[in-house]
Every structure is written in C-alpha cells, then in structure tokens.
Amino acid sequence: MSPKVDLGTITVDAEELVSGAKEPGMPWSATTSTKLYTNCFIIDEKNQRILLGYKKRGFGKGMYNGFGGKVDANEAPYDAALRELKEEAGISSVLAHAGTLLFTSGDSSLMHHIEIYRGLEWGGEIVETEEMRPEWFRVPEFAYDSEEMLKRMDDPRDISGGNTVSGDGSSGDLASIPFEKMWYDDRLWFPFLLKKRPFVGRVDFGVPTEEGVLDSAPMIKWWFGEPRTTGPLV
C-alpha cells in the first residue's frame, strides 16, 4: 500500500492518478486559512450533455463552471450544494459526491476546499439568475479520456472539441464544453467526474500574468488521486 499523501490542509489515502510541478521538488504553497465551498454539475448522460453556468459577477466572472458557493456555518456540504443549485439555476437534484478539490492562488494565502457533486437528474425549470446563466454543452468523447485531455491541454485549438454536434436531434446542436473558458485545472479532473471515478486533488496557481484575469494564472503544482474511501473530506 502506498503512503498517505499530504496535501497541506488534509492528508489522503489515495492512489496517484496525475501530478506535476513547474519545478521538481517544489513544496505546496503556504496557506493561513481555509474556506469550504461546493460545486455541482448536472449531467444528462442520455443526450451526452452537461449543464454549466456562465458566471456573471463576483469571483470567476466571465468563466464557465458548475453551480456552487460557500458552505454556511453549521451547514453540511450536501445541503449547501442543493441550496446553491437552486439559487443559481432554479432546479433541484439528487446528488452524488464526485470528488474533493483544493486550490490556492499565488496572490492569496487562502485555501479553497471544494466538495464536488454530480447530479444525473433534475427537477424544476432551469432559469438564469443574477449570478449565473445556465447553458447546456455537448460532452466530447475526449473529455472522458485523461490521457487525451493531457495531450490537448497546451493547445487551445484542440481543447474546444469543435463548435457543434449533429446526431438524432434529441438535444439539438450544442457547442462543446468550453474548456478554454474554464479553470485550467478542470481539464485534469473532468474525466473522473464524467466517468464517476472518485478523485481528490490539489492545485496551486501562481500569480495571474494579466492583472484581474483569473484564468491567466499558471498552474505551478498539482496532484490528483483516487481515494480509497469516498465522501466529503471535511
């Protein structure tokens, strides 16, 4: 059995899936505090599409993500995920825990601890809210393949997967998942989310190369693994 992995704020018993660093042997960035968040993704497996939200304001403005936010005091992550999904997209779901993501930014000592959930069914009418604009996207075949995703990471022309999809018309023509407009590390763990493979990981970002442009921050160290026990790590 491999030794447990120290991710800074938590230690995990997991089998490594992918890792890397800007420089060999570099340590994790130092953190002084941790905030707990959730992120939820609604996946329509029958029609091979996923519901993402375009962030209209606040942290991550102008980017696509799942639906989520801060976990309130005395609130369980699962309950927070349901609340945020309702507040940001107007719908409800029965959720399954998908993974845990930790990340830091080079201009802050805060650790973001995110419990990620997956929903395969939903109820209610999907609506645009003040914070998010929900949109359906096609899930390209390469998004299920970790090795293929890694090959495409450095080429924005390849990561978009094309603009539309044709088929039997059940879900119409949809744009492919806009990875080029999402957090860069999503490309590392999205295949695990889609394939229902539990994951835990950490990503340290450097300082954004463009002031105020979050997605210009480079990844400087990352590690993802498959935990031997499942569920939120809080």
Side-chain angles (χ1 to χ4, degrees), residues 117-142:
Y117 292 86
R118 177 197 309 106
L120 303 181
E121 299 178 351
W122 64 95
E125 180 181 356
I126 298 172
V127 296
E128 181 172 350
T129 61
E130 291 184 0
E131 188 166 354
M132 299 285 266
R133 184 179 71 233
E135 297 179 40
W136 286 107
F137 291 94
R138 171 176 63 95
V139 180
E141 288 299 321
F142 71 78

Side-chain angles (χ1 to χ4, degrees), residues 68-90:
K70 297 177 184 177
V71 177
D72 292 338
N74 301 316
E75 185 179 33
Y78 182 87
D79 295 333
L82 289 175
R83 173 180 56 78
E84 290 283 356
L85 180 63
K86 184 69 174 179
E87 290 176 359
E88 295 186 343

Side-chain angles (χ1 to χ4, degrees), residues 3-226:
K4 292 186 177 181
V5 179
D6 183 3
L7 297 180
T9 55
I10 60 173
T11 300
V12 298
D13 184 8
E15 185 74 24
E16 181 177 311
L17 297 171
V18 60
S19 65
K22 183 178 180 180
E23 298 178 4
M26 68 183 304
W28 290 116
S29 300
T31 60
T32 58
S33 60
T34 300
K35 284 189 178 181
L36 180 60
Y37 301 82
T38 64
N39 202 0
C40 173
F41 295 85
I42 300 299
I43 302 172
D44 179 359
E45 293 184 305
K46 179 181 178 181
N47 293 304
Q48 294 186 299
R49 59 181 186 164
I50 186 169
L51 187 67
L52 300 175
Y54 177 81
K55 193 73 180 293
K56 297 163 61 176
R57 66 181 187 186
F59 188 72
K61 179 181 177 181
M63 301 172 70
Y64 285 93
N65 206 338
F67 304 91
K70 297 177 184 177
V71 177
D72 292 338
N74 301 316
E75 185 179 33
Y78 182 87
D79 295 333
L82 289 175
R83 173 180 56 78
E84 290 283 356
L85 180 63
K86 184 69 174 179
E87 290 176 359
E88 295 186 343
I91 57 177
S92 59
S93 182
V94 176
L95 304 177
H97 186 260
T100 299
L101 170 66
L102 309 175
F103 84 84
T104 68
S105 176
D107 55 3
S108 170
S109 61
L110 174 68
M111 171 68 81
H112 296 77
H113 180 133
I114 307 170
E115 296 297 343
I116 300 174
Y117 292 86
R118 177 197 309 106
L120 303 181
E121 299 178 351
W122 64 95
E125 180 181 356
I126 298 172
V127 296
E128 181 172 350
T129 61
E130 291 184 0
E131 188 166 354
M132 299 285 266
R133 184 179 71 233
E135 297 179 40
W136 286 107
F137 291 94
R138 171 176 63 95
V139 180
E141 288 299 321
F142 71 78
Y144 293 91
D145 188 329
S146 298
E147 292 187 2
E148 186 62 27
M149 285 285 278
L150 289 173
K151 291 178 183 178
R152 294 169 178 255
M153 283 186 72
D154 295 326
D155 190 342
R157 296 170 299 176
D158 286 342
I159 203 66
S160 65
N163 294 322
T164 60
V165 58
S166 59
D168 60 9
S170 59
S171 60
D173 291 341
L174 295 175
S176 181
I177 295 176
F179 286 110
E180 71 279 7
K181 297 178 181 178
M182 297 169 67
W183 290 99
Y184 201 78
D185 64 291
D186 290 0
R187 310 171 193 199
L188 294 173
W189 54 264
F190 237 72
F192 311 137
L193 170 74
L194 296 172
K195 292 190 294 186
K196 304 186 183 71
R197 187 173 185 179
F199 65 90
V200 57
R202 173 173 172 170
V203 177
D204 283 354
F205 287 95
V207 176
T209 56
E210 299 179 45
E211 185 176 355
V213 182
L214 293 174
D215 59 350
S216 71
M219 293 194 306
I220 59 175
K221 184 173 181 175
W222 57 95
W223 185 96
F224 283 90
E226 182 171 0

